Amino acid sequence: MKKTIQTLILTLIFSTSIYGQSTERFIRIIGNAKKEIKADKAKVYFTISESKATKYSKNKEDITYEDAYKEVVSKFTELGISEDDIQKAFKKLNSYNNTSSKNFYIESDFNNLEKITNIVANGFRITDTKYLYGKIDDNLETELSLKAIQDAKRKAKTICNDIKMKVGKILNIEVKEGGFSSSTKENKESNTIKTYKVTITFKLID
Amino acid sequence: MRLFAILILLLTTLNTNAQNITLRVLGKATYAEYAETNGIIISINKSELDKITKLSDTISLIGINNKLVPVAGTNTTNKKKFRIEEKNLNLFDKLLIVCNDLKIKIDKVYYKLPEHKFENEDKNAILALNNATSQARIIANNLNCKIVKILNIDDDTTLADPLYDNIDMESERGKLVIKLLQLLGGGNSLHKTESSKPTRDGGYTILVTYKLKKT
């Protein structure tokens, strides 16, 4: 008889436990955070090409690729940029393509960017400017994750206050977005927004 | 005897659980954020940069206090781009006329949307929850039940959709996919403040699980 009662109690506890787990009340909220990041460098893509004299052109003489290249290098030198900083770039399939035309790029800080884009030289043409985000603060991910957690907490509290319930302890945290890469990325925009998303499950209390 | 007692207990537990009706409802709230100001991006040939001085003087005379700002990174060998924004729509119309008179090419007319604030989502979350509760009440009435309590609340905002899980939001390709999805949905990006549309449409969805009881 004693054994039967013990078994009954154990079964009761076990059943209640299973039931309790399956109906655990929760509020799962997504917390967000964002921060605007400014590019610290720019990558200027340009073409140097030979130019043939026409009746419409200012120069009445042909300018060879070598001469055009030398002129561009001297313009860069005036800005304190050495020839070694000029890097060769791949040609785009649809770009202007003659036998003596080459594509290059140069990485520059913002102080020189305006000066580079204002360079006027024979056969020199800027084709594109992209921005680089090389120095993303190591603490940014931590900062954003904390902000996202606070956002989730605030939202959960606001919702619970509205339905006259309480936010209990955290049951689960799931990071939906983040993991910033430290590598340099090219972007068309000089500003970009880094976002962070976290899903937090809180216990829901009456 | 023991086996019989266990069976009785198990059946009673299962029976109690079976009497509980749970109802899961998706509550929705939609919202729109409106443009605060208009803007234009103009491009000028470097040989005609004197037009910028003329434009600056004219807009100042008609009462536009904002200045022309060079657009970073758009400076090419031949052209230079500038932007200017104006809140007053009448003055903005005049600005367009002045550009036309001076034969200045307008590359883009855009709307400046307010910055999306996550704090503002709280009220939308509550609206979505209220929407779920209204739907739950209607269903419960039809089933001759009443809502006993809320069991679970599950935030299910648009980007939480599993559809977005495999998209690398950082990559150019990922950004393109998001943009495409937003275009298909007719909305603007949540974080972009410059838009071709005067509104940023958004939505908030919440999944709510209710416990119902037969009346």
Side-chain angles (χ1 to χ4, degrees):
Chain A
M1 184 62 187
K2 198 182 170 188
K3 265 195 170 178
T4 313
I5 292 170
Q6 278 176 344
T7 317
L8 271 173
I9 290 169
L10 272 176
T11 317
L12 187 69
I13 291 168
F14 185 64
S15 310
T16 318
S17 165
I18 289 172
Y19 181 63
Q21 275 176 9
S22 62
T23 58
E24 184 147 58
R25 299 171 71 191
F26 66 82
I27 172 165
R28 182 159 44 208
I29 293 293
I30 296 168
N32 295 285
K34 63 175 178 180
K35 192 171 184 180
E36 192 174 329
I37 310 289
K38 288 189 191 308
D40 57 346
K41 274 187 169 184
K43 206 169 176 179
V44 183
Y45 289 86
F46 57 91
T47 309
I48 301 174
S49 41
E50 66 171 15
S51 49
K52 299 273 182 197
T54 63
K55 60 178 178 179
Y56 305 107
S57 58
K58 281 180 191 172
N59 297 311
K60 296 297 172 197
E61 284 176 22
D62 290 352
I63 293 162
T64 63
Y65 167 78
E66 286 73 23
D67 287 343
Y69 182 82
K70 273 181 197 163
E71 192 185 348
V72 174
V73 169
S74 75
K75 296 272 180 185
F76 276 126
T77 313
E78 283 170 23
L79 300 177
I81 300 164
S82 78
E83 191 180 347
D84 295 340
D85 295 329
I86 302 171
Q87 305 288 322
K88 273 188 185 168
F90 289 109
K91 246 175 197 160
K92 287 179 184 172
L93 278 175
N94 56 353
S95 68
Y96 175 68
N97 193 6
N98 67 23
T99 47
S100 297
S101 166
K102 285 181 183 168
N103 291 357
F104 300 91
Y105 71 85
I106 192 160
E107 281 186 22
S108 157
D109 56 27
F110 280 7
N111 296 331
N112 266 340
L113 180 61
E114 188 71 15
K115 290 174 192 166
I116 292 171
T117 51
N118 280 333
I119 287 176
V120 180
N122 289 310
F124 174 73
R125 192 168 63 95
I126 291 169
T127 50
D128 203 359
T129 305
K130 290 201 170 162
Y131 294 92
L132 303 169
Y133 299 85
K135 289 177 190 166
I136 291 179
D137 186 5
D138 293 338
N139 297 321
L140 181 66
E141 197 165 353
T142 314
E143 184 192 327
L144 287 182
S145 64
L146 292 175
K147 272 188 184 174
I149 291 170
Q150 287 307 319
D151 183 60
K153 276 186 179 174
R154 192 207 60 250
K155 212 189 292 180
K157 209 173 170 186
T158 312
I159 293 170
C160 286
N161 282 346
D162 192 69
I163 52 172
K164 293 176 180 58
M165 291 181 88
K166 281 179 189 164
V167 179
K169 63 175 182 179
I170 292 175
L171 299 172
N172 180 41
I173 299 178
E174 204 178 315
V175 178
K176 286 261 181 184
E177 196 184 317
F180 303 143
S181 163
S182 57
S183 62
T184 307
K185 283 187 176 178
E186 285 184 29
N187 198 319
K188 281 293 274 180
E189 309 280 336
S190 59
N191 294 336
T192 188
I193 292 172
K194 289 279 174 194
T195 56
Y196 199 94
K197 198 179 283 287
V198 67
T199 306
I200 306 185
T201 312
F202 303 92
K203 198 167 180 176
L204 193 59
I205 304 169
D206 281 320
Chain B
M1 177 64 190
R2 201 191 312 170
L3 190 69
F4 180 71
I6 293 168
L7 267 172
I8 295 281
L9 193 67
L10 201 65
L11 281 172
T12 316
T13 315
L14 283 174
N15 191 37
T16 315
N17 286 349
Q19 281 178 347
N20 292 329
I21 301 172
T22 55
L23 175 66
R24 207 164 181 226
V25 182
L26 185 72
K28 283 185 182 177
T30 51
Y31 62 89
E33 289 168 319
Y34 297 94
E36 292 171 331
T37 184
N38 262 125
I40 53 168
I41 292 178
I42 55 170
S43 62
I44 295 196
N45 285 330
K46 284 185 176 170
S47 56
E48 298 176 320
L49 279 176
D50 58 310
K51 281 186 180 176
I52 285 296
T53 321
K54 280 182 196 165
L55 180 64
S56 296
D57 293 345
T58 318
I59 59 174
S60 168
L61 281 173
I62 59 172
I64 296 175
N65 297 320
N66 293 335
K67 304 283 175 215
L68 286 155
V69 182
V71 182
T74 55
N75 195 351
T76 59
T77 307
N78 303 320
K79 286 183 176 180
K80 222 170 172 180
K81 288 192 180 190
F82 295 85
R83 76 167 74 230
I84 184 164
E85 289 167 3
E86 177 53 48
K87 209 171 188 173
N88 184 312
L89 290 178
N90 291 328
L91 290 179
F92 185 73
D93 281 344
K94 285 181 186 172
L95 172 67
L96 297 179
I97 293 166
V98 171
C99 287
N100 191 41
D101 289 347
L102 290 171
K103 293 192 171 56
I104 291 172
K105 187 176 173 255
I106 298 170
D107 286 344
K108 188 178 170 186
V109 177
Y110 65 88
Y111 298 93
K112 187 90 176 176
L113 295 164
E115 190 193 340
H116 180 80
K117 289 200 164 61
F118 294 122
E119 292 83 1
N120 296 343
E121 287 184 354
D122 292 13
K123 63 171 190 251
N124 295 317
I126 290 171
L127 285 172
L129 182 74
N130 292 341
N131 174 257
T133 308
S134 312
Q135 292 182 66
R137 276 204 192 105
I138 294 167
I139 295 167
N141 283 343
N142 279 297
L143 294 170
N144 291 323
C145 292
K146 71 169 188 177
I147 296 170
V148 181
K149 61 182 175 183
I150 291 173
L151 292 175
N152 301 318
I153 298 168
D154 207 343
D155 196 344
D156 186 43
T157 46
T158 316
L159 287 177
D161 194 298
L163 178 73
Y164 291 86
D165 284 355
N166 295 325
I167 301 172
D168 176 12
M169 312 269 183
E170 291 294 303
S171 69
E172 287 293 321
R173 188 187 164 90
K175 281 174 190 167
L176 252 170
V177 175
I178 299 279
K179 204 172 176 182
L180 184 68
L181 287 170
Q182 276 156 351
L183 279 171
L184 288 170
N188 286 316
S189 162
L190 204 61
H191 306 303
K192 285 259 176 194
T193 52
E194 207 179 293
S195 166
S196 57
K197 288 173 74 183
T199 55
R200 182 197 284 130
D201 302 322
Y204 206 98
T205 50
I206 267 186
L207 267 170
V208 190
T209 312
Y210 300 88
K211 184 179 175 182
L212 305 184
K213 190 182 160 188
K214 282 269 181 195
T215 48

